[in-house]
Amino acid sequence: MFKAMLLKEFILLLRDKYALAALFIMPSIFILIMSIALKDTFSSDRALLSYTIIDLDNTAESAKLRTFLLSNGRLKEHKVLITNAAQQQEALNGKLHFIISIPKGFAQNLVTEQSASLLQLDVASDVKQEMLTLLQGELVMDIIRLRMEKLQKELAPFLPDVAQKLEAMKSNRDNLIQVRFNAMGKNKKPTSTQQSVPSWIVFGMFFVIIPMSTVFISERKQNTLMRMSAMNISVPVLFAGKLAPYIIINQIQVWLMIGVGIFLVPLFGGDALTLGNSISGLFMVSLGLSLAAIGTSILIAVTADTVEQATTIGGIINILMGAIGGVMVPKFYMSQSMQQLTNISPMSWGLEGFLDIFLRGQGAGAVITESLTLAGFGAGLLLAAGMILNAKMKRGI
Amino acid sequence: MISIKNLVKHYNNHIALDHINLNVGKGVILGLLGPNGAGKTTLVSILNGLIDFQEGEIEIFGLPLSQELKAIRQRSSFTPQSLALYDNLTVLENLRFFAGIQKIRGKALRHNVDYAVSAGRLHPLLDHKTGILSGGQKRRLNIAIGLLNNPELLYFDEPTAGIDPESRTSILETIRSFKNDGKTVIYTSHYMPEIEKICDQVAILDRGRIIRHGLLDAMLHEEKADSVVIELRHSHEAQLQALTRKHAMVKVIDAATMTIDGPDATQLGAILAALEAEQINIKQIRYGTTNLEALFIRLTSQGNCDV
């Protein structure tokens, strides 16, 4: 009986090119695009901020400040002629994030005890707070360097040892802090592939909602379910007959997407995905996710009246769960309250489980909670769907 | 074969079946007739265990339905009105799937599929995708699926709805042939000529009650004494409706057929004169006879049922 159901679901799916695209091609393309698009996220040489300098001081110190900024890989200077407010506004509406104005008297005021501002910073309105903080930090550090150099020069004739020490301290700026990423080897960084693949695997697995609910509603509407019921197929058997093939389909999706991360992304210049330390943990999370996705699909298929309703509702639920669950916007970008909210999305549970395996180097033990929660969620939805379907069938709907 | 005693089914406050009593013997082809909402589908659904009922007793094959549903279903089959098929599977894949879920395997699978293919005249279509078949071919497949478990009892709900006359004839011949195999058939349809053609017995349902049940021939014989059937050469629906307003005994069967209940010579003469005045050409007049449609319309309380 299961063999017949399994075969039927596979044949129906293989003959539905749109379902195949939604299940296998779309998530793979997502992984490819996102991994490549974000491949420089963890590179310290990637320019994040663009700026121009208006130097009204024209001194050796202001020139040095400019040199310091130029040597910073995170910053990119653009030569833009700005002589009036309109040009300034236009520049900040365009490609510039910041305009750094060095006023007359900058060099002179560098080591005075006056509390007046040394620089003027004009900021584009779409600049994020963390970008502003980053530039402010860079500028403060460069000003301190300039002050130290000036003090060093002034101290050199009187305290040569101190001046020498200050000179030596200047050179090891980049090595002051050693960064070590959790659960990663020395000098190893997380990659965009490692971070984005789990997200899109989770998202892709929930795409089963569309083909599953389409087939299920057609079966309901054409009375194929009723016919099966008259052939002694009970609702639990019917659901089991759906679960088995779609769990296999989900597993194929997972390994296809992992394959894309390992083999395809590097061909396009991205970092290759590494599997982590626990294949069993990976299976546990993906099985839990399968149950959650299939439970959601069947509940939608049972409650919706038409295929159009199911695909619309399914698509919206998928996107909402992805948005809330940290698939589309990583959790750490979210506010505290939003981060709390992610806990209601099963996609977030699955994503945390996958990140434990792929990114944090954890084993199967670490993902038991996530896997069981997902499986429980799926089982709960299946139970609800079963009750609704039974009631509908008894009423002849 | 089927024994129904005091069957009651209601949906909230609406009574769908009101103390139904019905016995159907082995090898009988029973036509279940009734206007829309009479309770035909409800009755067939209950007999297939698809919906519950509140009161009464049902035995099929001598087994109580409520306790032995699984065993009863293994020996019966239900062909719904809708085409309960998979359009993206081929004809053979559909047959194998429905056989597979009934745990029919090995030799029995081959034998039963062959039988269903033969009965449905599906040989040339086995590798065709179901979605591209004609309406008649799909209907034949719909019926063939119902034969896969080699049932002793078959339920057909409007199995010829919306198909061409040739396919209809072929399906009716197939269903009629089940009688030779000793199978029992419960057949619901709105097409009275079909029922007349294949059924031995008829049960007429109206508002949840069986208002007449018996042998078809006997029922028609009882009715024939004083009725006249007039068939017209062309459709004249509007004129016929006008005629019914003038003469209460006239009943319109369709746009080209009418019956007159118990007319005397004067009344019959007046009606024929009225037809002549309207320049309506008569094709045939049959005295002392009736057909199932006329009987059905007379018996059921709704004159506007779907016939």
Side-chain angles (χ1 to χ4, degrees):
Chain A
M1 176 171 41
F2 276 114
K3 192 181 155 196
M5 286 179 156
L6 201 73
L7 200 62
K8 181 256 295 177
E9 293 293 344
F10 273 118
I11 294 174
L12 290 179
L13 191 66
L14 285 173
R15 289 185 184 157
D16 184 349
K17 53 182 187 252
Y18 299 107
L20 286 176
L23 287 177
F24 300 110
I25 298 172
M26 209 162 75
S28 302
I29 291 174
F30 258 133
I31 284 173
L32 202 59
I33 291 172
M34 298 311 283
S35 299
I36 294 164
L38 302 172
K39 69 177 180 177
D40 293 332
T41 306
F42 290 93
S43 163
S44 54
D45 297 331
R46 193 174 77 121
L48 290 174
L49 313 175
S50 59
Y51 68 94
T52 193
I53 286 187
I54 304 171
D55 187 358
L56 300 175
D57 197 43
N58 276 323
T59 55
E61 285 78 2
S62 67
K64 211 156 202 178
L65 176 67
R66 186 172 215 152
T67 313
F68 288 164
L69 292 172
L70 279 173
S71 68
N72 190 324
R74 290 291 187 194
L75 310 176
K76 182 165 179 60
E77 185 184 337
H78 292 264
K79 304 269 185 216
V80 182
L81 181 67
I82 296 172
T83 54
N84 56 45
Q87 282 175 338
Q88 178 175 314
Q89 199 170 354
E90 193 185 338
L92 288 175
N93 285 340
K95 59 185 173 184
L96 289 186
H97 293 121
F98 302 102
I99 297 170
I100 303 166
S101 303
I102 307 175
K104 221 169 175 51
F106 168 77
Q108 204 178 340
N109 294 332
L110 206 55
V111 286
T112 62
E113 289 167 16
Q114 288 175 4
S115 59
S117 300
L118 286 175
L119 298 172
Q120 166 76 36
L121 198 57
D122 290 289
V123 185
S125 53
D126 58 349
V127 163
K128 291 179 190 155
Q129 181 59 43
E130 53 264 38
M131 291 165 78
L132 176 60
T133 309
L134 178 67
L135 184 68
Q136 279 177 310
E138 290 292 338
L139 288 172
V140 167
M141 209 149 78
D142 290 340
I143 288 168
I144 290 170
R145 277 178 79 183
L146 286 171
R147 279 178 165 168
M148 277 175 67
E149 281 182 18
K150 208 158 186 182
L151 284 172
Q152 184 193 345
K153 271 184 195 162
E154 287 175 13
L155 288 173
F158 313 104
L159 297 166
D161 292 348
V162 175
Q164 249 178 2
K165 271 188 186 170
L166 284 171
E167 182 62 35
M169 282 161 72
K170 271 191 333 194
S171 60
N172 67 351
R173 176 187 184 234
D174 293 337
N175 300 326
L176 284 176
I177 302 164
Q178 192 188 358
V179 177
R180 210 166 53 205
F181 287 96
N182 185 33
M184 305 205 87
K186 201 177 175 187
N187 297 327
K188 288 213 167 169
K189 292 175 182 178
T191 63
S192 59
T193 312
Q194 214 69 14
Q195 290 204 328
S196 65
V197 169
S199 303
W200 300 113
I201 290 178
V202 172
F203 196 55
M205 287 177 81
F206 272 81
F207 269 102
V208 294
I209 290 175
I210 292 169
M212 242 192 124
S213 52
T214 305
V215 171
F216 200 93
I217 289 177
S218 301
E219 287 177 326
R220 237 181 66 208
K221 289 284 164 196
Q222 293 185 333
N223 283 331
T224 323
L225 287 191
M226 185 182 76
R227 174 169 241 167
M228 284 198 251
S229 177
M231 290 175 171
N232 277 330
I233 302 295
S234 64
V235 170
V237 172
L238 183 74
F239 283 4
K242 296 273 173 196
L243 267 175
Y246 277 95
I247 284 175
I248 294 173
I249 286 163
N250 269 162
Q251 294 308 313
I252 295 171
Q253 275 188 302
V254 169
W255 288 100
L256 176 77
M257 287 187 264
I258 288 174
V260 169
I262 293 174
F263 303 110
L264 206 56
V265 172
L267 295 180
F268 288 85
D271 298 298
L273 178 78
T274 51
L275 266 182
N277 302 322
S278 175
I279 300 291
S280 55
L282 200 61
F283 269 120
M284 281 164 62
V285 179
S286 56
L287 274 178
L289 271 166
S290 270
L291 280 170
I294 293 166
T296 310
S297 310
I298 293 184
L299 185 63
I300 290 172
V302 161
T303 45
D305 285 328
T306 61
V307 169
E308 290 78 12
Q309 276 180 14
T311 47
T312 309
I313 295 168
I316 290 170
I317 287 178
N318 216 4
I319 289 167
L320 280 179
M321 283 199 295
I324 296 170
V327 166
M328 296 182 175
V329 181
K331 213 168 160 179
F332 56 81
Y333 273 127
M334 297 179 181
S335 66
Q336 199 63 35
S337 55
M338 266 310 282
Q339 286 193 21
Q340 294 285 327
L341 195 66
T342 59
N343 294 329
I344 66 165
S345 170
M347 282 198 193
S348 164
W349 313 333
L351 182 55
E352 283 303 312
F354 275 150
L355 290 176
D356 280 346
I357 305 290
F358 281 109
L359 209 57
R360 298 175 193 131
Q362 308 263 3
V367 295
I368 287 176
T369 312
E370 284 101 341
S371 307
L372 287 179
T373 313
L374 284 164
F377 175 78
L381 294 190
L382 283 173
L383 189 68
M387 286 160 70
I388 294 168
L389 183 63
N390 252 329
K392 279 192 167 182
M393 285 174 84
K394 291 284 174 199
R395 281 184 282 142
I397 298 171
Chain B
M1 177 66 75
I2 299 176
S3 163
I4 304 171
K5 287 179 192 156
N6 284 317
L7 177 66
V8 175
K9 168 72 186 176
H10 50 79
Y11 299 102
N12 300 322
N13 294 327
H14 168 70
I15 291 217
L17 295 175
D18 187 2
H19 294 91
I20 297 280
N21 289 288
L22 185 68
N23 287 298
V24 183
K26 187 173 163 41
V28 166
I29 300 185
L30 172 79
L32 204 53
L33 290 177
N36 277 346
K40 305 185 297 289
T41 302
T42 302
L43 179 58
V44 171
S45 299
I46 288 174
L47 292 175
N48 279 283
L50 296 170
I51 57 174
D52 294 329
F53 54 95
Q54 280 81 28
E55 288 175 40
E57 286 172 28
I58 300 173
E59 281 188 5
I60 299 174
F61 309 121
L63 303 168
L65 182 75
S66 34
Q67 278 117 55
E68 299 287 346
L69 179 60
K70 224 171 174 177
I72 291 168
R73 279 173 167 173
Q74 282 169 356
R75 297 166 63 184
S76 60
S77 84
F78 173 48
T79 302
Q81 182 183 352
S82 53
L83 296 163
L85 313 162
Y86 291 97
D87 281 350
N88 271 338
L89 297 187
T90 64
V91 168
L92 188 59
E93 285 164 350
N94 262 297
L95 290 167
R96 284 197 174 143
F97 167 69
F98 284 106
I101 61 167
Q102 293 180 91
K103 298 178 187 165
I104 301 165
R105 298 187 195 98
K107 265 188 184 174
L109 175 70
R110 277 192 297 278
H111 176 267
N112 293 9
V113 168
D114 283 349
Y115 171 64
V117 167
S118 164
R121 297 174 196 185
L122 296 167
H123 272 298
L125 306 169
L126 290 179
D127 295 326
H128 289 51
K129 257 199 195 174
T130 305
I132 60 159
L133 300 182
S134 70
Q137 290 167 335
K138 283 183 183 176
R139 286 270 161 213
R140 272 151 49 198
L141 175 59
N142 206 31
I143 290 170
I145 288 168
L147 303 176
L148 286 167
N149 61 336
N150 196 14
E152 296 163 54
L153 171 61
L154 299 102
Y155 299 92
F156 292 102
D157 189 7
E158 309 258 356
T160 60
I163 57 168
D164 58 282
E166 199 183 329
S167 296
R168 173 174 291 136
T169 306
S170 158
I171 287 171
L172 293 178
E173 279 171 13
T174 304
I175 293 173
R176 186 70 198 168
S177 72
F178 296 152
K179 190 175 171 65
N180 303 331
D181 301 335
K183 296 180 191 297
T184 307
V185 175
I186 309 294
Y187 188 97
T188 75
S189 176
H190 282 133
Y191 298 102
M192 306 293 161
E194 283 184 5
I195 303 268
E196 275 188 82
K197 200 168 177 182
I198 66 164
C199 293
D200 316 310
Q201 292 184 22
V202 171
I204 300 177
L205 271 127
D206 191 26
R207 299 181 190 182
R209 286 171 168 267
I210 290 183
I211 54 172
R212 186 69 78 92
H213 172 220
L215 291 171
L216 177 63
D217 289 343
M219 283 165 75
L220 294 180
H221 182 75
E222 283 168 28
E223 289 295 319
K224 73 179 184 182
D226 56 357
S227 60
V228 175
V229 178
I230 299 179
E231 286 179 32
L232 309 175
R233 287 207 183 278
H234 305 288
S235 296
H236 296 280
E237 195 166 3
Q239 291 100 315
L240 290 187
Q241 293 299 345
L243 205 61
T244 60
R245 287 193 284 275
K246 272 190 194 167
H247 304 275
M249 61 188 61
V250 172
K251 290 212 164 50
V252 177
I253 304 299
D254 58 40
T257 315
M258 57 190 273
T259 65
I260 310 166
D261 283 342
D264 59 27
T266 318
Q267 288 165 325
L268 185 59
I271 291 165
L272 291 174
L275 289 173
E276 195 181 357
E278 292 283 340
Q279 295 185 320
I280 296 173
N281 290 327
I282 295 168
K283 183 179 166 192
Q284 190 180 26
I285 300 177
R286 284 180 279 137
Y287 294 94
T289 184
T290 188
N291 61 16
L292 190 58
E293 278 184 15
L295 172 65
F296 177 78
I297 289 172
R298 196 182 71 72
L299 289 175
T300 54
S301 50
Q302 295 175 323
N304 59 346
C305 54
D306 296 339
V307 289

